[in-house]
Amino acid sequence: MDRQQAVKEAAREVLAHGGPDCLTDPSRPMKAMRRALEAGATHDDIAAEMRRQRV
């Protein structure tokens, strides 16, 4: 998975499984975030993608 794909996946997972759901099972969004960061993304990259996906 390349960096851009990892960023899109992380944003999608955080939007879908973040918030209150994350309190009971944080593994999905956290694993996706870790993959994106390991691929060279920054938190700002993921936040920007989350803003794009929310529109």
Side-chain angles (χ1 to χ4, degrees):
M1 179 179 303
D2 71 5
R3 181 179 163 272
Q4 188 58 35
Q5 287 175 319
V7 168
K8 287 181 180 181
E9 177 196 25
R12 185 174 50 251
E13 290 295 323
V14 170
L15 289 171
H17 302 287
D21 291 342
C22 193
L23 296 175
T24 56
D25 184 18
S27 63
R28 286 183 74 170
M30 295 303 290
K31 286 179 183 176
M33 288 284 294
R34 184 175 349 156
R35 284 190 295 272
L37 294 172
E38 287 174 353
T42 66
H43 288 277
D44 290 338
D45 294 333
I46 298 166
E49 181 61 28
M50 288 171 63
R51 285 190 292 276
R52 280 191 284 279
Q53 288 185 17
R54 272 191 226 151
V55 175

